């Protein structure tokens, strides 16, 4: 019983993929993975490492307590097809930094407790693509990443200047990032980097230096995304910083474009990419589709607008010329994407007769009006700013306004709550041009 309890905290199987090795062996949800090749499975990294073989011995404890010893022959890289109740198998590791720009420190009080959890767990980087600072890792743990060849890894670098990184992350261990990345390069691991840019802290000359250092690690360091710091109205007693204004954003873009041209000439890749926010803030024309080189940093908001518009154009072209839809929709967006969505609206309405779209930019009163992205708009701001709407067939919102795989906004209001208040249907749509145009096909 005691043994079972230990397992219940750790590697209980939650899901078995249909047709997988585990499915064929009749492993079921609720079973416990006890060991692989006689070794306990400490965490997801161990698991991935231990199953990477053509022959493995797996011990499973069935729900009734029976122990199965299974001998499995498989392709080297083939997965067993099981998912665990706790995807990490172990507890998520929290961060040891106190970054001057941390968004979690700027959250309003009384939000859902899980939102205040600061994770900085390299295992989540491999599993879910989270960006990690690597400041809470021992040398042994770095060795393990290298030995297990875990890659790609997403790293929040911010700066390669050791003193500045210590200051920005408020962590005396933060200065060692470059030597760690160098070790990853020697081991041929792939790394994608992120820089949260803070005006007058790590921009200008410091940004140039960081890009220069990181480019020396190419192709191991594959790409760098530069995103502007987000500043909410809850910064009392925190480091004094301000968001980028239009002029400063223009300077950032010229610096990045200059560096891109240099890298393109010497390395054959633009290597560094500015997030969409910089383009939206300056009303500067977005780079071409090709200039995003495969959109490796979409999660960082790099190229989302371009890929969305590209898909919209493709889908509109496929629609043909005789399309009509007698409907009226509101598109709710953050203030940053207003002009962009107006452009999308215009081309869509031009193609689909009688379709009436109206883009409304929602000001972010919940976090403060300096927050302009759609993904941080809350239900209460939608209600207060769209109350009284009449004669519309629905309000289209990007799914990024909702918590992952749910219908809940950041302030815990649900789609139903908003529909009940506004008496209008809410239509969440993925940030995909194809899905957006599909809305008007299906209606
Ligand atoms: S690493 Fe920095 S920004 Fe990320 S959660 Fe920790 S303190 Fe916040």
């Amino acid at each position: 019983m005691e043994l079972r309890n230990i397992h219940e905290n750790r590697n209980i199987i939650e899901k078995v993929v249909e047709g997988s090795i585990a499915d064929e062996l009749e492993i079921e949800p609720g079973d416990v993975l006890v060991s692989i090749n006689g070794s306990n499975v400490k965490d997801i990294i161990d698991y991935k490492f231990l199953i990477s073989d053509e022959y493995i011995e797996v011990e499973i404890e069935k729900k009734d307590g029976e122990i199965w010893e299974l001998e499995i022959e498989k392709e080297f890289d083939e997965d067993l097809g099981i998912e665990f109740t706790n995807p990490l198998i172990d507890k998520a590791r929290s961060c040891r930094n106190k970054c001057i720009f941390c968004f979690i420190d700027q959250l309003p009080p009384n939000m859902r407790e899980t939102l205040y959890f600061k994770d900085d767990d390299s295992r989540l980087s491999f599993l879910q693509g989270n960006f990690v600072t690597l400041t809470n890792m021992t040398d042994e743990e770095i060795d393990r990443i290298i030995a297990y060849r875990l890659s790609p890894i997403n790293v929040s670098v911010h700066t390669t200047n050791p003193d500045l990184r210590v200051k920005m992350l408020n962590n005396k261990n933060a200065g060692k990032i470059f030597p760690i990345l160098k070790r990853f390069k020697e081991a041929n691991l792939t790394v994608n980097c992120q820089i949260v840019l803070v005006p007058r802290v790590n921009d200008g000359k410091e940004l140039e230096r960081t890009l220069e250092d990181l480019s020396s690690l190419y192709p191991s360091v594959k790409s760098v995304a530069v995103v502007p710091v987000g500043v909410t109205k809850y910064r009392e007693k925190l480091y004094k910083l301000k968001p980028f204004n239009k002029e400063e954003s223009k300077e950032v873009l010229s610096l990045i474009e200059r560096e891109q041209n240099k890298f393109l000439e010497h390395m054959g890749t633009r290597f560094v990419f500015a997030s969409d926010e910089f383009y939206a803030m300056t009303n500067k024309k977005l780079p071409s589709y090709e200039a995003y080189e495969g959109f490796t940093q979409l999660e960082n908001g790099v190229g989302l607008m371009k890929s969305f518009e590209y898909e919209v154009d493709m889908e509109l072209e496929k629609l043909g010329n005789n399309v009509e839809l007698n409907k009226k929709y509101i598109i709710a967006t953050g203030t940053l994407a207003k002009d962009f969505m107006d452009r999308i609206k215009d081309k869509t309405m031009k193609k689909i007769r009688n379709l009436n779209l109206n883009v409304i930019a929602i000001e972010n009163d919940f976090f403060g009006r300096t927050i302009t992205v759609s993904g941080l708009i809350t239900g209460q701001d939608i209600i207060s700013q769209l109350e009284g709407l009449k004669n519309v067939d629905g309000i289209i919102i990007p799914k990024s306004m909702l918590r992952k795989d749910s219908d809940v906004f950041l302030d815990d209001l649900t789609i139903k709550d908003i529909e009940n208040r506004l008496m209008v249907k809410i239509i969440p749509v993925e940030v995909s041009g194809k899905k957006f145009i599909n809305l008007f096909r299906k209606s």
Side-chain angles (χ1 to χ4, degrees):
M1 186 63 199
E2 206 183 315
L3 182 68
R4 174 104 204 158
N5 279 339
I6 291 169
H7 291 317
E8 274 172 3
N9 288 333
R10 304 185 73 195
N11 34 12
I12 299 177
I13 294 161
E14 184 177 75
K15 200 174 149 197
V16 175
V17 177
E18 221 184 299
S20 64
I21 295 175
D23 189 24
E24 276 168 29
L25 291 169
E26 297 179 12
I27 295 173
E28 297 163 302
D31 293 350
V32 171
L33 173 67
V34 180
S35 68
I36 300 175
N37 297 337
S39 300
N40 289 332
V41 181
K42 201 164 76 182
D43 63 10
I44 194 69
I45 297 185
D46 256 5
Y47 171 73
K48 298 236 182 229
F49 178 69
L50 289 166
I51 63 161
S52 299
D53 211 334
E54 286 165 1
Y55 172 82
I56 53 174
E57 291 172 4
V58 173
E59 202 175 306
I60 296 285
E61 185 186 333
K62 298 296 288 176
K63 273 186 278 188
D64 61 5
E66 194 184 341
I67 298 288
W68 285 9
E69 279 165 14
L70 305 166
E71 296 181 5
I72 301 174
E73 282 184 23
K74 63 179 201 54
E75 299 291 323
F76 186 88
D77 286 338
E78 203 175 353
D79 195 30
L80 298 185
I82 54 183
E83 287 170 23
F84 299 95
T85 316
N86 173 0
L88 274 181
I89 298 180
D90 195 15
K91 264 198 205 145
R93 201 171 290 163
S94 69
C95 103
R96 300 217 184 119
N97 310 320
K98 186 119 189 33
C99 300
I100 57 171
F101 50 81
C102 181
F103 197 79
I104 296 171
D105 289 339
Q106 309 176 59
L107 291 177
N110 305 323
M111 291 185 78
R112 205 177 323 121
E113 205 179 313
T114 49
L115 291 173
Y116 298 101
F117 179 71
K118 296 179 171 184
D119 90 65
D120 193 23
D121 196 313
S122 60
R123 296 166 299 186
L124 288 171
S125 181
F126 313 116
L127 271 187
Q128 302 169 355
N130 294 16
F131 276 80
V132 288
T133 62
L134 302 174
T135 53
N136 58 4
M137 298 192 76
T138 59
D139 286 346
E140 290 69 39
E141 284 164 330
I142 303 279
D143 290 345
R144 196 164 71 125
I145 290 182
I146 291 172
Y148 289 10
R149 307 212 45 73
L150 294 168
S151 172
I153 175 161
N154 293 337
V155 182
S156 292
V157 174
H158 310 313
T159 174
T160 48
N161 175 341
D163 296 338
L164 182 58
R165 196 164 191 263
V166 166
K167 180 182 152 192
M168 287 183 80
L169 275 59
N170 254 313
N171 181 334
K172 63 178 177 5
N173 285 325
K176 300 178 214 142
I177 189 68
F178 195 67
I180 296 177
L181 293 177
K182 249 168 125 176
R183 289 195 61 202
F184 288 164
K185 179 181 167 143
E186 281 151 21
N188 282 328
L189 302 187
T190 300
V191 180
N192 289 306
C193 297
Q194 177 201 55
I195 294 173
V196 173
L197 207 63
V198 184
R200 274 171 253 150
V201 176
N202 59 340
D203 57 350
K205 287 270 168 250
E206 289 294 345
L207 178 60
E208 270 176 27
R209 170 198 169 145
T210 301
L211 293 176
E212 222 42 58
D213 285 346
L214 293 177
S215 68
S216 72
L217 302 177
Y218 179 80
S220 168
V221 172
K222 191 175 160 203
S223 69
V224 181
V226 181
V227 302
V229 62
V231 180
T232 78
K233 61 184 179 188
Y234 297 96
R235 284 204 62 86
E236 243 176 72
K237 298 193 190 134
L238 296 177
Y239 186 94
K240 296 242 172 307
L241 51 83
K242 58 172 207 61
F244 279 97
N245 62 29
K246 191 171 173 177
E247 277 318 301
E248 290 162 340
S249 299
K250 274 187 189 164
E251 280 168 32
V252 172
L253 280 181
S254 343
L255 188 152
I256 289 178
E257 283 167 6
R258 236 178 15 248
E259 293 290 318
Q260 281 185 325
N261 291 336
K262 206 169 71 193
F263 295 138
L264 197 56
E265 199 182 319
H266 295 114
M267 298 167 6
T269 168
R270 288 167 184 81
F271 186 66
V272 56
F273 303 89
S275 78
D276 293 355
E277 287 162 88
F278 284 113
Y279 288 95
M281 273 190 280
T282 50
N283 294 326
K284 198 164 187 286
K285 195 168 174 269
L286 290 170
S288 69
Y289 187 84
E290 291 68 32
Y292 284 101
E293 300 184 11
F295 296 87
T296 32
Q297 296 252 18
L298 268 182
E299 287 293 315
N300 261 322
V302 174
L304 267 178
M305 284 180 171
K306 193 72 205 182
S307 73
F308 186 88
E309 185 166 23
Y310 180 83
E311 283 182 20
V312 164
D313 290 343
M314 303 281 278
E315 294 305 310
L316 287 177
E317 212 176 298
K318 281 193 220 155
L319 272 185
N321 286 328
N322 207 11
V323 193
E324 182 173 348
L325 185 68
N326 208 347
K327 297 266 185 189
K328 187 174 175 188
Y329 295 112
I330 300 293
I331 300 173
T333 180
T335 51
L336 191 78
K338 165 84 166 96
D339 292 350
F340 172 76
M341 284 314 294
D342 270 334
R343 194 162 80 226
I344 299 290
K345 169 204 85 171
D346 289 344
K347 49 174 95 177
T348 309
M349 282 171 57
K350 207 165 152 198
K351 187 82 183 197
I352 306 175
R353 263 182 296 124
N354 290 337
L355 174 63
N356 188 322
L357 298 175
N358 183 13
V359 180
I360 299 187
I362 308 291
E363 291 281 4
N364 199 324
D365 290 324
F366 187 85
F367 289 110
R369 292 193 170 198
T370 42
I371 296 294
T372 54
V373 293
S374 307
L376 293 171
I377 297 289
T378 53
Q380 50 196 272
D381 281 340
I382 294 182
I383 290 175
S384 68
Q385 292 172 50
L386 296 185
E387 213 147 30
L389 277 179
K390 291 221 164 52
N391 303 324
V392 291
D393 294 295
I395 299 170
I396 299 170
I397 61 162
K399 264 197 182 160
S400 56
M401 284 185 191
L402 303 169
R403 284 174 63 200
K404 199 165 176 261
D405 303 324
S406 81
D407 62 353
V408 184
F409 289 82
L410 274 172
D411 58 355
D412 283 344
L413 288 179
T414 63
I415 286 184
K416 263 267 140 307
D417 294 332
I418 298 182
E419 289 181 336
N420 289 342
R421 281 289 296 276
L422 298 181
M423 303 301 286
V424 183
K425 190 174 166 46
I426 301 288
I427 307 165
V429 59
E430 266 168 48
V431 185
S432 141
K434 187 170 178 184
K435 299 246 163 85
F436 177 75
I437 296 300
N438 266 344
L439 281 180
F440 313 121
R441 279 204 183 99
K442 283 186 197 148
S443 308

